[in-house]
Short mmCIF file of all heavy atoms in Angstrom, two decimals:
data_model
loop_
_atom_site.label_atom_id
_atom_site.label_comp_id
_atom_site.label_asym_id
_atom_site.label_seq_id
_atom_site.Cartn_x
_atom_site.Cartn_y
_atom_site.Cartn_z
N MET A 13 41.92 -40.19 -30.28
CA MET A 13 42.39 -39.01 -30.99
C MET A 13 43.14 -38.10 -30.02
O MET A 13 42.90 -38.12 -28.82
CB MET A 13 41.20 -38.26 -31.60
CG MET A 13 41.58 -37.17 -32.57
SD MET A 13 42.20 -37.84 -34.11
CE MET A 13 40.73 -37.71 -35.11
N ALA A 14 44.04 -37.38 -30.56
CA ALA A 14 44.82 -36.41 -29.78
C ALA A 14 45.58 -35.55 -30.78
O ALA A 14 45.43 -35.73 -31.99
CB ALA A 14 45.79 -37.12 -28.85
N HIS A 15 46.35 -34.64 -30.27
CA HIS A 15 47.20 -33.83 -31.13
C HIS A 15 48.66 -34.07 -30.75
O HIS A 15 48.96 -34.53 -29.66
CB HIS A 15 46.84 -32.35 -31.01
CG HIS A 15 45.66 -31.98 -31.85
ND1 HIS A 15 44.38 -32.41 -31.55
CD2 HIS A 15 45.55 -31.25 -32.99
CE1 HIS A 15 43.55 -31.95 -32.48
NE2 HIS A 15 44.22 -31.25 -33.36
N LYS A 16 49.54 -33.75 -31.69
CA LYS A 16 50.97 -33.89 -31.41
C LYS A 16 51.72 -32.71 -32.02
O LYS A 16 51.22 -32.04 -32.93
CB LYS A 16 51.51 -35.20 -31.96
CG LYS A 16 51.48 -35.31 -33.48
CD LYS A 16 52.06 -36.65 -33.92
CE LYS A 16 52.05 -36.77 -35.45
NZ LYS A 16 52.59 -38.08 -35.90
N ILE A 17 52.91 -32.49 -31.53
CA ILE A 17 53.76 -31.39 -32.01
C ILE A 17 54.88 -31.99 -32.85
O ILE A 17 55.51 -32.97 -32.47
CB ILE A 17 54.32 -30.60 -30.81
CG1 ILE A 17 53.15 -29.99 -30.02
CG2 ILE A 17 55.28 -29.51 -31.29
CD1 ILE A 17 53.55 -29.29 -28.72
N ILE A 18 55.09 -31.39 -34.03
CA ILE A 18 56.10 -31.90 -34.94
C ILE A 18 57.39 -31.07 -34.86
O ILE A 18 57.44 -30.04 -34.18
CB ILE A 18 55.57 -31.97 -36.39
CG1 ILE A 18 55.13 -30.59 -36.88
CG2 ILE A 18 54.42 -32.97 -36.45
CD1 ILE A 18 54.70 -30.57 -38.35
N ASP A 19 58.43 -31.51 -35.60
CA ASP A 19 59.77 -30.96 -35.38
C ASP A 19 60.00 -29.56 -35.95
O ASP A 19 61.12 -29.05 -35.88
CB ASP A 19 60.84 -31.92 -35.88
CG ASP A 19 60.79 -32.16 -37.37
OD1 ASP A 19 59.98 -31.49 -38.06
OD2 ASP A 19 61.55 -33.00 -37.86
N THR A 20 58.96 -28.92 -36.45
CA THR A 20 59.09 -27.52 -36.84
C THR A 20 58.84 -26.59 -35.65
O THR A 20 58.92 -25.37 -35.79
CB THR A 20 58.13 -27.18 -38.00
OG1 THR A 20 56.83 -27.65 -37.67
CG2 THR A 20 58.59 -27.83 -39.29
N CYS A 21 58.56 -27.17 -34.51
CA CYS A 21 58.39 -26.40 -33.26
C CYS A 21 59.65 -25.59 -32.99
O CYS A 21 60.76 -26.12 -33.04
CB CYS A 21 58.12 -27.36 -32.11
SG CYS A 21 58.18 -26.62 -30.46
N ILE A 22 59.45 -24.31 -32.69
CA ILE A 22 60.60 -23.43 -32.40
C ILE A 22 60.71 -23.13 -30.91
O ILE A 22 61.39 -22.20 -30.51
CB ILE A 22 60.52 -22.11 -33.21
CG1 ILE A 22 59.20 -21.38 -32.93
CG2 ILE A 22 60.69 -22.39 -34.70
CD1 ILE A 22 59.14 -19.96 -33.50
N LEU A 23 60.02 -23.90 -30.10
CA LEU A 23 60.12 -23.76 -28.64
C LEU A 23 59.68 -22.38 -28.14
O LEU A 23 60.24 -21.87 -27.18
CB LEU A 23 61.54 -24.05 -28.16
CG LEU A 23 61.94 -25.54 -28.13
CD1 LEU A 23 63.45 -25.68 -28.18
CD2 LEU A 23 61.40 -26.20 -26.88
N CYS A 24 58.70 -21.79 -28.82
CA CYS A 24 58.28 -20.44 -28.39
C CYS A 24 57.49 -20.49 -27.09
O CYS A 24 57.42 -19.50 -26.37
CB CYS A 24 57.48 -19.76 -29.49
SG CYS A 24 55.79 -20.39 -29.70
N GLY A 25 56.83 -21.62 -26.84
CA GLY A 25 56.09 -21.75 -25.58
C GLY A 25 54.68 -21.21 -25.59
O GLY A 25 53.99 -21.23 -24.57
N ALA A 26 54.22 -20.72 -26.73
CA ALA A 26 52.88 -20.11 -26.80
C ALA A 26 51.77 -21.10 -26.49
O ALA A 26 50.74 -20.73 -25.91
CB ALA A 26 52.67 -19.49 -28.17
N CYS A 27 51.95 -22.34 -26.86
CA CYS A 27 50.88 -23.32 -26.70
C CYS A 27 50.66 -23.78 -25.26
O CYS A 27 49.53 -24.06 -24.85
CB CYS A 27 51.16 -24.54 -27.57
SG CYS A 27 52.76 -25.34 -27.22
N GLU A 28 51.71 -23.85 -24.50
CA GLU A 28 51.63 -24.47 -23.17
C GLU A 28 50.52 -23.89 -22.29
O GLU A 28 49.72 -24.64 -21.74
CB GLU A 28 52.99 -24.41 -22.47
CG GLU A 28 52.98 -25.16 -21.15
CD GLU A 28 54.33 -25.16 -20.46
OE1 GLU A 28 55.26 -24.48 -20.92
OE2 GLU A 28 54.46 -25.87 -19.45
N PRO A 29 50.46 -22.57 -22.13
CA PRO A 29 49.41 -22.04 -21.24
C PRO A 29 48.01 -22.10 -21.82
O PRO A 29 47.03 -21.89 -21.10
CB PRO A 29 49.86 -20.59 -21.00
CG PRO A 29 50.68 -20.25 -22.20
CD PRO A 29 51.37 -21.53 -22.60
N GLU A 30 47.89 -22.38 -23.13
CA GLU A 30 46.58 -22.42 -23.77
C GLU A 30 45.84 -23.73 -23.51
O GLU A 30 44.62 -23.79 -23.61
CB GLU A 30 46.73 -22.23 -25.28
CG GLU A 30 47.30 -20.89 -25.68
CD GLU A 30 46.43 -19.74 -25.23
OE1 GLU A 30 45.22 -19.80 -25.42
OE2 GLU A 30 46.98 -18.77 -24.66
N CYS A 31 46.56 -24.79 -23.18
CA CYS A 31 45.93 -26.10 -23.05
C CYS A 31 45.09 -26.20 -21.78
O CYS A 31 45.60 -26.04 -20.68
CB CYS A 31 47.00 -27.19 -23.05
SG CYS A 31 46.27 -28.84 -22.92
N PRO A 32 43.79 -26.50 -21.92
CA PRO A 32 42.90 -26.55 -20.76
C PRO A 32 43.12 -27.77 -19.86
O PRO A 32 42.63 -27.80 -18.74
CB PRO A 32 41.51 -26.59 -21.40
CG PRO A 32 41.72 -27.24 -22.71
CD PRO A 32 43.07 -26.74 -23.18
N VAL A 33 43.85 -28.75 -20.36
CA VAL A 33 44.06 -29.96 -19.55
C VAL A 33 45.55 -30.17 -19.21
O VAL A 33 45.94 -31.25 -18.77
CB VAL A 33 43.49 -31.21 -20.25
CG1 VAL A 33 41.97 -31.10 -20.37
CG2 VAL A 33 44.11 -31.43 -21.63
N ASN A 34 46.34 -29.13 -19.42
CA ASN A 34 47.77 -29.18 -19.08
C ASN A 34 48.50 -30.38 -19.70
O ASN A 34 49.31 -31.04 -19.04
CB ASN A 34 47.97 -29.17 -17.56
CG ASN A 34 47.46 -27.89 -16.93
OD1 ASN A 34 47.73 -26.80 -17.43
ND2 ASN A 34 46.72 -28.00 -15.84
N ALA A 35 48.18 -30.62 -20.97
CA ALA A 35 48.79 -31.75 -21.66
C ALA A 35 50.11 -31.40 -22.33
O ALA A 35 50.80 -32.28 -22.85
CB ALA A 35 47.81 -32.30 -22.71
N ILE A 36 50.46 -30.12 -22.35
CA ILE A 36 51.65 -29.68 -23.08
C ILE A 36 52.77 -29.34 -22.10
O ILE A 36 52.58 -28.64 -21.12
CB ILE A 36 51.32 -28.45 -23.96
CG1 ILE A 36 50.16 -28.77 -24.91
CG2 ILE A 36 52.56 -28.00 -24.73
CD1 ILE A 36 49.71 -27.60 -25.77
N SER A 37 53.96 -29.84 -22.42
CA SER A 37 55.13 -29.53 -21.60
C SER A 37 56.34 -29.39 -22.51
O SER A 37 56.31 -29.80 -23.67
CB SER A 37 55.35 -30.62 -20.55
OG SER A 37 55.57 -31.86 -21.18
N VAL A 38 57.40 -28.82 -21.97
CA VAL A 38 58.59 -28.63 -22.78
C VAL A 38 59.46 -29.88 -22.74
O VAL A 38 59.68 -30.47 -21.68
CB VAL A 38 59.36 -27.36 -22.33
CG1 VAL A 38 59.94 -27.53 -20.93
CG2 VAL A 38 60.44 -26.99 -23.34
N GLY A 39 59.94 -30.28 -23.92
CA GLY A 39 60.84 -31.41 -24.01
C GLY A 39 62.25 -30.93 -24.31
O GLY A 39 62.56 -29.75 -24.12
N ASP A 40 63.09 -31.80 -24.79
CA ASP A 40 64.48 -31.42 -25.06
C ASP A 40 64.62 -30.50 -26.27
O ASP A 40 65.30 -29.49 -26.22
CB ASP A 40 65.33 -32.67 -25.29
CG ASP A 40 65.50 -33.48 -24.02
OD1 ASP A 40 65.38 -32.89 -22.92
OD2 ASP A 40 65.73 -34.70 -24.11
N ASP A 41 63.96 -30.88 -27.37
CA ASP A 41 64.12 -30.13 -28.61
C ASP A 41 62.85 -29.42 -29.06
O ASP A 41 62.87 -28.63 -29.99
CB ASP A 41 64.55 -31.08 -29.74
CG ASP A 41 65.87 -31.76 -29.42
OD1 ASP A 41 66.76 -31.10 -28.86
OD2 ASP A 41 65.99 -32.96 -29.73
N MET A 42 61.75 -29.73 -28.42
CA MET A 42 60.46 -29.15 -28.81
C MET A 42 59.48 -29.35 -27.67
O MET A 42 59.77 -30.08 -26.72
CB MET A 42 59.93 -29.84 -30.07
CG MET A 42 59.60 -31.32 -29.85
SD MET A 42 58.89 -32.13 -31.29
CE MET A 42 60.33 -32.33 -32.33
N TYR A 43 58.36 -28.67 -27.78
CA TYR A 43 57.29 -28.94 -26.80
C TYR A 43 56.65 -30.28 -27.16
O TYR A 43 56.68 -30.71 -28.32
CB TYR A 43 56.27 -27.81 -26.80
CG TYR A 43 56.70 -26.68 -25.89
CD1 TYR A 43 57.69 -25.78 -26.29
CD2 TYR A 43 56.15 -26.53 -24.62
CE1 TYR A 43 58.11 -24.76 -25.45
CE2 TYR A 43 56.57 -25.52 -23.77
CZ TYR A 43 57.54 -24.64 -24.18
OH TYR A 43 57.97 -23.65 -23.35
N ILE A 44 56.06 -30.92 -26.17
CA ILE A 44 55.42 -32.21 -26.40
C ILE A 44 54.02 -32.23 -25.80
O ILE A 44 53.75 -31.54 -24.82
CB ILE A 44 56.26 -33.36 -25.80
CG1 ILE A 44 56.63 -33.08 -24.35
CG2 ILE A 44 57.50 -33.63 -26.62
CD1 ILE A 44 57.39 -34.20 -23.68
N ILE A 45 53.15 -33.01 -26.41
CA ILE A 45 51.79 -33.18 -25.93
C ILE A 45 51.63 -34.60 -25.40
O ILE A 45 51.98 -35.56 -26.08
CB ILE A 45 50.77 -32.93 -27.06
CG1 ILE A 45 50.81 -31.46 -27.50
CG2 ILE A 45 49.35 -33.31 -26.60
CD1 ILE A 45 49.94 -31.14 -28.70
N ASP A 46 51.14 -34.70 -24.18
CA ASP A 46 50.84 -36.02 -23.63
C ASP A 46 49.52 -36.49 -24.25
O ASP A 46 48.45 -35.98 -23.92
CB ASP A 46 50.71 -35.93 -22.11
CG ASP A 46 50.52 -37.30 -21.45
OD1 ASP A 46 50.03 -38.22 -22.13
OD2 ASP A 46 50.82 -37.42 -20.26
N GLU A 47 49.63 -37.44 -25.18
CA GLU A 47 48.43 -37.86 -25.92
C GLU A 47 47.42 -38.56 -25.03
O GLU A 47 46.24 -38.69 -25.40
CB GLU A 47 48.85 -38.75 -27.10
CG GLU A 47 49.65 -37.96 -28.14
CD GLU A 47 50.01 -38.79 -29.37
OE1 GLU A 47 49.37 -39.83 -29.61
OE2 GLU A 47 50.94 -38.39 -30.08
N ALA A 48 47.83 -39.01 -23.88
CA ALA A 48 46.89 -39.63 -22.94
C ALA A 48 46.03 -38.58 -22.24
O ALA A 48 44.95 -38.89 -21.74
CB ALA A 48 47.65 -40.45 -21.92
N LEU A 49 46.50 -37.35 -22.23
CA LEU A 49 45.77 -36.26 -21.57
C LEU A 49 44.97 -35.42 -22.55
O LEU A 49 43.90 -34.89 -22.21
CB LEU A 49 46.74 -35.35 -20.81
CG LEU A 49 47.46 -35.94 -19.61
CD1 LEU A 49 48.42 -34.91 -19.01
CD2 LEU A 49 46.47 -36.39 -18.54
N CYS A 50 45.48 -35.25 -23.78
CA CYS A 50 44.83 -34.37 -24.77
C CYS A 50 43.43 -34.87 -25.08
O CYS A 50 43.22 -36.04 -25.39
CB CYS A 50 45.66 -34.34 -26.05
SG CYS A 50 44.89 -33.42 -27.40
N VAL A 51 42.48 -33.94 -25.00
CA VAL A 51 41.08 -34.26 -25.31
C VAL A 51 40.62 -33.53 -26.58
O VAL A 51 39.43 -33.39 -26.83
CB VAL A 51 40.16 -33.90 -24.13
CG1 VAL A 51 40.46 -34.80 -22.94
CG2 VAL A 51 40.28 -32.43 -23.75
N ASP A 52 41.59 -33.04 -27.36
CA ASP A 52 41.30 -32.27 -28.58
C ASP A 52 40.47 -31.03 -28.27
O ASP A 52 39.75 -30.53 -29.13
CB ASP A 52 40.61 -33.13 -29.63
CG ASP A 52 41.47 -34.27 -30.11
OD1 ASP A 52 42.70 -34.08 -30.21
OD2 ASP A 52 40.93 -35.37 -30.36
N CYS A 53 40.55 -30.59 -27.02
CA CYS A 53 39.81 -29.40 -26.54
C CYS A 53 38.30 -29.58 -26.53
O CYS A 53 37.56 -28.61 -26.34
CB CYS A 53 40.20 -28.14 -27.32
SG CYS A 53 41.81 -27.48 -26.82
N VAL A 54 37.82 -30.80 -26.72
CA VAL A 54 36.37 -31.05 -26.66
C VAL A 54 35.86 -30.70 -25.27
O VAL A 54 36.42 -31.12 -24.25
CB VAL A 54 36.06 -32.53 -26.99
CG1 VAL A 54 34.59 -32.84 -26.74
CG2 VAL A 54 36.44 -32.83 -28.43
N GLY A 55 34.80 -29.89 -25.23
CA GLY A 55 34.24 -29.46 -23.96
C GLY A 55 34.89 -28.22 -23.40
O GLY A 55 34.45 -27.69 -22.37
N HIS A 56 35.93 -27.73 -24.08
CA HIS A 56 36.66 -26.54 -23.62
C HIS A 56 36.63 -25.42 -24.65
O HIS A 56 36.40 -24.27 -24.32
CB HIS A 56 38.10 -26.90 -23.28
CG HIS A 56 38.24 -27.89 -22.17
ND1 HIS A 56 38.17 -27.53 -20.84
CD2 HIS A 56 38.41 -29.24 -22.18
CE1 HIS A 56 38.31 -28.62 -20.08
NE2 HIS A 56 38.46 -29.67 -20.87
N HIS A 57 36.90 -25.78 -25.91
CA HIS A 57 36.96 -24.79 -26.98
C HIS A 57 36.32 -25.38 -28.23
O HIS A 57 36.20 -26.59 -28.37
CB HIS A 57 38.42 -24.42 -27.29
CG HIS A 57 39.16 -23.85 -26.12
ND1 HIS A 57 38.88 -22.61 -25.58
CD2 HIS A 57 40.18 -24.35 -25.38
CE1 HIS A 57 39.69 -22.39 -24.55
NE2 HIS A 57 40.49 -23.43 -24.41
N ASP A 58 35.95 -24.49 -29.16
CA ASP A 58 35.35 -24.96 -30.42
C ASP A 58 36.38 -25.63 -31.32
O ASP A 58 36.03 -26.44 -32.17
CB ASP A 58 34.72 -23.79 -31.18
CG ASP A 58 33.50 -23.25 -30.46
OD1 ASP A 58 32.90 -23.99 -29.67
OD2 ASP A 58 33.15 -22.07 -30.69
N ALA A 59 37.65 -25.28 -31.14
CA ALA A 59 38.73 -25.86 -31.93
C ALA A 59 39.94 -25.98 -31.02
O ALA A 59 40.01 -25.30 -29.99
CB ALA A 59 39.04 -24.96 -33.12
N PRO A 60 40.89 -26.85 -31.35
CA PRO A 60 42.08 -27.00 -30.52
C PRO A 60 42.81 -25.68 -30.30
O PRO A 60 43.25 -25.03 -31.24
CB PRO A 60 42.93 -27.99 -31.31
CG PRO A 60 41.92 -28.80 -32.06
CD PRO A 60 40.86 -27.79 -32.46
N ALA A 61 42.93 -25.30 -29.03
CA ALA A 61 43.52 -24.01 -28.69
C ALA A 61 44.98 -23.93 -29.08
O ALA A 61 45.47 -22.88 -29.52
CB ALA A 61 43.36 -23.75 -27.20
N CYS A 62 45.71 -25.03 -28.95
CA CYS A 62 47.13 -25.00 -29.26
C CYS A 62 47.38 -24.83 -30.75
O CYS A 62 48.31 -24.13 -31.16
CB CYS A 62 47.81 -26.27 -28.74
SG CYS A 62 47.10 -27.83 -29.34
N VAL A 63 46.54 -25.45 -31.56
CA VAL A 63 46.68 -25.33 -33.01
C VAL A 63 46.51 -23.88 -33.44
O VAL A 63 47.26 -23.35 -34.26
CB VAL A 63 45.66 -26.22 -33.74
CG1 VAL A 63 45.70 -25.98 -35.25
CG2 VAL A 63 45.93 -27.69 -33.44
N ALA A 64 45.53 -23.21 -32.83
CA ALA A 64 45.23 -21.83 -33.20
C ALA A 64 46.36 -20.87 -32.84
O ALA A 64 46.62 -19.91 -33.55
CB ALA A 64 43.94 -21.39 -32.53
N ILE A 65 47.06 -21.14 -31.74
CA ILE A 65 48.09 -20.21 -31.26
C ILE A 65 49.46 -20.47 -31.86
O ILE A 65 50.31 -19.57 -31.89
CB ILE A 65 48.16 -20.25 -29.72
CG1 ILE A 65 48.83 -19.00 -29.16
CG2 ILE A 65 48.88 -21.49 -29.22
CD1 ILE A 65 47.91 -17.83 -28.99
N CYS A 66 49.71 -21.65 -32.37
CA CYS A 66 51.06 -22.00 -32.83
C CYS A 66 51.48 -21.18 -34.05
O CYS A 66 50.83 -21.25 -35.10
CB CYS A 66 51.14 -23.49 -33.17
SG CYS A 66 52.80 -23.96 -33.76
N PRO A 67 52.58 -20.40 -33.96
CA PRO A 67 53.00 -19.55 -35.07
C PRO A 67 53.64 -20.30 -36.22
O PRO A 67 53.83 -19.74 -37.30
CB PRO A 67 54.00 -18.59 -34.41
CG PRO A 67 54.59 -19.39 -33.29
CD PRO A 67 53.44 -20.25 -32.78
N THR A 68 54.01 -21.56 -36.02
CA THR A 68 54.67 -22.31 -37.08
C THR A 68 53.83 -23.50 -37.58
O THR A 68 54.35 -24.38 -38.27
CB THR A 68 56.05 -22.83 -36.60
OG1 THR A 68 55.86 -23.64 -35.42
CG2 THR A 68 56.98 -21.68 -36.27
N ASP A 69 52.58 -23.54 -37.20
CA ASP A 69 51.67 -24.62 -37.61
C ASP A 69 52.28 -25.99 -37.33
O ASP A 69 52.24 -26.90 -38.17
CB ASP A 69 51.33 -24.50 -39.10
CG ASP A 69 50.53 -23.24 -39.41
OD1 ASP A 69 49.76 -22.80 -38.53
OD2 ASP A 69 50.69 -22.70 -40.51
N SER A 70 52.85 -26.13 -36.14
CA SER A 70 53.55 -27.35 -35.79
C SER A 70 52.72 -28.35 -34.99
O SER A 70 53.25 -29.36 -34.53
CB SER A 70 54.81 -27.00 -34.98
OG SER A 70 55.69 -26.24 -35.76
N ILE A 71 51.44 -28.08 -34.82
CA ILE A 71 50.60 -28.99 -34.05
C ILE A 71 49.55 -29.59 -34.98
O ILE A 71 48.79 -28.89 -35.63
CB ILE A 71 49.94 -28.28 -32.86
CG1 ILE A 71 51.02 -27.61 -32.00
CG2 ILE A 71 49.13 -29.28 -32.03
CD1 ILE A 71 50.50 -26.77 -30.85
N ILE A 72 49.56 -30.93 -35.04
CA ILE A 72 48.69 -31.65 -35.96
C ILE A 72 47.96 -32.78 -35.24
O ILE A 72 48.32 -33.13 -34.11
CB ILE A 72 49.49 -32.24 -37.14
CG1 ILE A 72 50.50 -33.29 -36.64
CG2 ILE A 72 50.19 -31.13 -37.91
CD1 ILE A 72 51.22 -34.03 -37.76
N LYS A 73 46.98 -33.35 -35.88
CA LYS A 73 46.30 -34.49 -35.29
C LYS A 73 47.26 -35.66 -35.18
O LYS A 73 48.03 -35.93 -36.10
CB LYS A 73 45.09 -34.90 -36.15
CG LYS A 73 43.93 -33.93 -36.01
CD LYS A 73 42.69 -34.42 -36.75
CE LYS A 73 41.52 -33.48 -36.51
NZ LYS A 73 40.30 -33.91 -37.25
N ALA A 74 47.21 -36.34 -34.06
CA ALA A 74 48.13 -37.47 -33.83
C ALA A 74 47.61 -38.70 -34.54
O ALA A 74 46.44 -38.84 -34.80
CB ALA A 74 48.27 -37.73 -32.35
FE1 SF4 B 77 45.60 -29.34 -25.08
FE2 SF4 B 77 43.57 -28.85 -26.73
FE3 SF4 B 77 46.06 -28.94 -27.70
FE4 SF4 B 77 44.87 -31.20 -26.87
S1 SF4 B 77 44.21 -29.92 -28.62
S2 SF4 B 77 47.00 -30.53 -26.39
S3 SF4 B 77 43.61 -30.46 -25.15
S4 SF4 B 77 45.25 -27.42 -26.24
#
C-alpha cells in the first residue's frame, strides 16, 4: 500500500514538508510520491499527513 498524487495537483507544495519519510518530491507537472518509500504514515500519524494538507484532494491510495 502507498499513496499517490493525481493530476489535479496544483503544485502548491504543501504536502512535501508534511511527509515523515520524505517520499514526496516535485515532478514536472505535479508533485510525486515514491511508492517504495511511502508507509501510509503508519507509525508517524493517525492518518496520512499529505492527504490531510492537500487543498485539492489530489492524494489518494495507490
Ligand atoms: Fe508520506 Fe504519509 Fe503521504 Fe505516504 S501517506 S507520502 S508517508 S505523508
Side-chain angles (χ1 to χ4, degrees):
M13 191 72 99
H15 279 69
K16 65 179 180 181
I17 299 174
I18 59 175
D19 64 5
T20 49
C21 169
I22 57 170
L23 284 158
C24 74
C27 57
E28 185 178 7
E30 297 299 313
C31 181
V33 295
N34 296 315
I36 304 177
S37 60
V38 67
D40 291 336
D41 300 321
M42 65 177 76
Y43 275 77
I44 51 177
I45 294 174
D46 185 336
E47 294 183 20
L49 293 178
C50 175
V51 293
D52 297 324
C53 284
V54 172
H56 298 279
H57 301 291
D58 292 337
C62 56
V63 173
I65 200 84
C66 180
T68 57
D69 295 329
S70 297
I71 305 175
I72 64 174
K73 286 186 176 179

